[in-house]
């Protein structure tokens, strides 16, 4: 069992950032609901506790409050922003309500000795974002740093090992933020910093073997990062007790089916079954133009095809999925909590319920960047690890209106050209444009316009290029790719793809547009 730092989530938009910063210091961290009983934290063996920030005021009737017994766990506690106010409020200090809001960069002056600031300069810039602030310290505390606006920018009670910061050390804008976190982890909580991907593989493999025993596991492989890494990890643990099913729905990109088969069958020697179901999907989609209806048909057909493929395998007990940590963190339903409004609306449900299988989710503790590192350790190629996201309904949401094989074939050819050029073009640092952007793909528009090619008039279809930058797909902006790259892509598509005589570049941001066109 690794050393665990618990982050109690009071609804801050930075909670996940805190958890990640800790992991970047090679210490395992886990986010807990703010009201998690102290007994649970104790049973999990946490060796340190962080109280996150949050949008509430401690005076709000709906203020999220922790189990007070977390202060009796005899582990170091670090309160950040709202966390420091909680300390003040719950441990006998005083918090000023609605004082002048401090937001943005400030400068702290450290005037007291503190293990939290060990080895750091006595003054540096910090990032603040809070309304309430501490007015009077709880008994046993002393103050070690101040800012222009706050007498109590950093406080501590050495005997109980309780620490509070009014600013956000986890945020990039705070100078020496990572060092403060490291001081807390290594110097105060006694963490050894030996949590690594290699260690993670070892303990996961053991856990998967124990959970699965002699049972059989199936996994729906999409070729994307998450399902591929999950497959490689489970395969390392249980070999042929894992069967992967890849559904060829006829909506894949050019050469995608062959590439998935080559990698997992030939290189990894996995038991991979491909369900060749393009006809089933295209028949079900015939004549349908409404985007939501198309999605529903694809979702339902997928479940049917997958289910019947699994029937052929024999008795199966577990369904493996590449669920990641951000998918399982329950957002805290707190007033004013922007994080609680952000919901993933794309996760495919329905399979486990229909198939009455137990779930195996070996990545549910990991963030995306950690999954990539894990994939690398497991020997997956960069082409998989750095693959751009691809929607479950595939090219169906990129072929506007009715789906026809003829349209899909045109789209596949155009898209292959765009991807090839995105991978070939690099910026001044040698990074490919494919890696620099969030997604880059073609959209097929079933409308025809007039053109001229050689001496002939043409009347052909339109391809739109969608190339966006984004951090989490919640918002996105069109990528400012070099004009020469766009020119080359356009010229190649029009010259090489029969049926296309016009290429447009989509310059809409999300919101109000979405990344996909349907
Ligand atoms: P939108 O179009 O909503 O897309 O801006 C946001 C991100 O989600 C991807 N996407 C999907 N992913 N199943 C998925 O697994 C889906 O049904 C789906 N629809 C959109 C999209 O590619 C973008 O990255």
């Amino acid at each position: 069992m690794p050393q665990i730092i618990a982050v109690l989530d009071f609804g801050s938009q930075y909670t996940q950032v805190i958890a990640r910063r800790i992991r970047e210091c090679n210490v395992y961290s886990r986010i807990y609901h703010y009201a998690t009983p102290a007994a649970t934290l104790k049973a999990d063996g946490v060796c340190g506790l962080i109280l996150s920030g949050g949008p509430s005021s401690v005076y709000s009737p709906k203020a999220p409050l922790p189990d007070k017994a977390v202060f009796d766990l005899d582990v170091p506690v670090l309160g950040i922003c709202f966390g420091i106010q909680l300390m003040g409020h719950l441990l006998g200090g005083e918090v000023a309500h609605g004082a002048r809001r401090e937001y943005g960069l400030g400068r702290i002056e450290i005037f007291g000795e503190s293990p939290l600031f060990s080895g750091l300069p006595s003054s540096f810039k910090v990032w603040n974002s809070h309304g309430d602030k501490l007015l009077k310290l709880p008994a046993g505390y002393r103050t070690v740093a101040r800012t222009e606006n706050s007498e109590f920018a950093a406080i501590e009670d050495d005997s109980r090992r309780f620490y509070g910061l009014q600013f956000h050390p986890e945020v990039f804008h705070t100078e020496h933020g990572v060092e403060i976190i490291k001081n807390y982890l290594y110097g105060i909580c006694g963490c050894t910093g030996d949590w690594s991907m290699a260690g993670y593989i070892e303990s996961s493999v053991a856990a998967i073997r124990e959970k699965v025993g002699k049972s059989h596991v199936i996994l729906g492989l999409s070729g994307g990062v998450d399902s591929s890494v999950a497959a490689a990890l489970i395969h390392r643990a249980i070999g042929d007790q894992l069967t992967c099913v890849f559904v060829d729905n006829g909506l894949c990109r050019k050469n995608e089916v062959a590439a998935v088969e080559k990698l997992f069958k030939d290189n990894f020697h996995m038991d991979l079954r491909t369900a060749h179901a393009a006809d089933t999907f295209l028949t079900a989609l015939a004549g349908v133009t409404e985007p939501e209806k198309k999605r529903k048909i694809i979702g339902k057909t997928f479940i049917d095809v997958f289910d019947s493929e699994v029937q052929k395998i024999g008795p199966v007990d577990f369904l493996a999925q590449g669920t990641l940590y951000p998918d399982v963190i329950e957002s805290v339903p707190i007033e004013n909590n922007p994080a609680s409004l952000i919901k993933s609306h794309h996760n495919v449900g329905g399979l486990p319920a229909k198939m009455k299988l137990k779930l195996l989710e070996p990545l549910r503790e990991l963030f995306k960047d950690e999954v990539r590192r894990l994939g690398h350790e497991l020997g997956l190629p960069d082409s998989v690890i750095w693959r751009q996201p691809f929607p479950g309904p595939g090219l169906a949401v990129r072929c506007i209106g009715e789906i026809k094989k003829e349209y899909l074939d045109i789209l596949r050819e155009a898209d292959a050209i765009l991807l090839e050029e995105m991978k070939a073009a690099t910026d001044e640092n040698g990074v490919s444009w494919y890696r620099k952007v969030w997604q880059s793909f073609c959209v097929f528009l079933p409308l025809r316009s007039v053109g001229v090619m050689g001496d002939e008039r043409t009347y052909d279809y339109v391809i739109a290029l969608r190339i966006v930058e984004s951090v989490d797909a919640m918002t996105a902006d069109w990528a400012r790719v070099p004009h020469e790259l766009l020119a080359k892509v356009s010229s190649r598509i029009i010259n090489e793809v029969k049926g296309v005589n016009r290429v447009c570049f989509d310059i809409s941001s999300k919101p109000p547009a979405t990344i996909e066109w349907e």
Side-chain angles (χ1 to χ4, degrees), residues 295 345-348 389-394 397-398 438-439 441 466 472-474 476 510 513-518:
R295 280 175 175 272
H345 55 290
H346 294 308
N347 288 333
V348 189
F390 186 63
V397 294
R398 299 177 180 173
W438 174 263
Q439 271 172 302
F441 55 87
R466 184 67 165 144
D472 53 10
M474 296 299 169
K510 171 184 180 175
T514 50
I515 295 176
E516 303 290 346
W517 276 41
E518 280 196 350

Side-chain angles (χ1 to χ4, degrees), residues 422 433 437 467 469 478-486 505:
M422 290 294 290
W433 275 93
V437 301
I467 309 177
E469 286 175 349
W478 57 280
R480 273 51 169 182
V481 285
H483 288 178
E484 307 76 60
L485 173 56
L486 293 175
F505 184 44

Side-chain angles (χ1 to χ4, degrees), residues 86-408:
L86 274 175
M87 283 180 161
H89 187 62
L90 296 174
L91 301 177
E94 203 180 313
V95 176
H97 188 26
R100 200 177 106 207
R101 205 173 166 79
E102 197 178 6
Y103 181 81
L105 278 179
R107 175 167 278 281
I108 60 163
E109 305 289 336
I110 300 163
F111 51 82
E113 273 292 309
S114 166
L116 216 44
F117 299 111
S118 166
L120 302 189
S122 58
S123 175
F124 51 88
K125 283 189 212 144
V126 297
W127 182 259
N128 290 295
S129 165
H130 59 95
D132 290 355
K133 71 178 186 188
L134 205 56
L135 212 57
K136 187 171 146 259
L137 290 179
Y141 277 81
R142 65 193 174 90
T143 171
V144 288
R146 65 174 155 250
T147 60
E148 302 89 326
N149 278 329
S150 171
E151 269 310 295
F152 305 112
I155 60 168
E156 63 184 55
D157 173 344
D158 309 297
S159 62
R160 289 188 288 179
R161 294 184 297 164
F162 290 171
Y163 305 83
L165 298 174
Q166 183 67 83
F167 58 92
H168 289 275
E170 72 278 18
V171 172
F172 174 71
H173 310 288
T174 293
E175 291 176 345
H176 305 293
V178 174
E179 283 138 286
I180 295 172
I181 291 171
K182 279 187 178 162
N183 280 339
Y184 178 67
L185 299 174
Y186 306 147
I188 295 172
C189 299
C191 295
T192 43
D194 55 7
W195 190 69
S196 67
M197 271 306 140
Y200 186 82
I201 293 179
E202 212 174 288
S203 62
S204 294
V205 161
I208 293 168
R209 283 186 186 145
E210 192 186 325
K211 181 164 182 182
V212 170
K214 299 219 170 314
S215 307
H216 205 85
V217 179
I218 47 151
L219 180 143
L221 198 61
S222 71
V225 189
D226 307 344
S227 67
S228 299
V229 175
L233 179 61
I234 298 169
H235 186 252
R236 162 105 34 127
I238 58 169
D240 281 349
Q241 281 168 263
L242 169 71
T243 299
C244 293
V245 175
F246 179 74
V247 175
D248 173 8
N249 55 12
L251 304 164
C252 302
R253 286 164 297 185
K254 191 176 175 184
N255 297 334
E256 197 165 1
V257 181
V260 168
E261 291 193 320
K262 184 168 185 312
L263 176 64
F264 291 98
K265 246 187 187 151
D266 301 350
N267 292 10
F268 275 86
H269 307 293
M270 283 189 202
D271 176 15
L272 168 65
R273 320 273 173 103
T274 305
H276 296 284
D279 288 346
T280 312
F281 279 86
L282 295 191
T283 307
L285 284 166
V288 182
T289 54
E290 213 273 310
E292 274 311 297
K293 204 161 169 212
K294 281 163 71 176
R295 280 175 175 272
K296 289 219 168 72
I297 291 172
I298 293 166
K300 185 181 169 304
T301 312
F302 179 87
I303 293 178
D304 291 346
V305 170
F306 191 82
D307 195 19
S308 73
E309 200 59 38
V310 172
Q311 302 302 327
K312 296 181 200 158
I313 295 169
V316 168
D317 309 276
F318 285 93
L319 173 71
Q321 289 188 333
T323 317
L324 303 195
Y325 198 35
D327 304 329
V328 298
I329 300 169
E330 204 188 324
S331 53
V332 174
I334 293 176
E335 41 171 2
N336 315 326
N337 178 6
S340 74
L341 300 176
I342 301 168
K343 278 269 177 289
S344 113
H345 55 290
H346 294 308
N347 288 333
V348 189
L351 260 183
K354 166 154 181 170
M355 303 180 72
K356 302 197 179 63
L357 294 172
K358 288 180 262 183
L359 273 183
L360 181 66
E361 298 178 311
L363 310 182
R364 50 182 290 133
E365 305 273 6
L366 302 181
F367 289 107
K368 190 85 175 187
D369 51 333
E370 295 171 325
V371 168
R372 292 206 163 102
R373 272 195 283 144
L374 178 60
H376 185 75
E377 291 268 340
L378 288 165
L380 286 169
D382 277 3
S383 57
V384 171
I385 292 172
W386 293 103
R387 204 183 84 140
Q388 292 174 354
F390 186 63
L395 297 183
V397 294
R398 299 177 180 173
C399 185
I400 303 312
E402 187 180 357
I403 309 269
K404 291 187 185 166
K405 179 151 185 316
E406 174 206 348
Y407 296 170
L408 290 171

Side-chain angles (χ1 to χ4, degrees), residues 10-11 54-64 332-338 340:
F10 293 92
S56 297
S57 158
V58 289
Y59 289 111
S60 162
K62 292 191 194 141
V332 174
I334 293 176
E335 41 171 2
N336 315 326
N337 178 6
S340 74

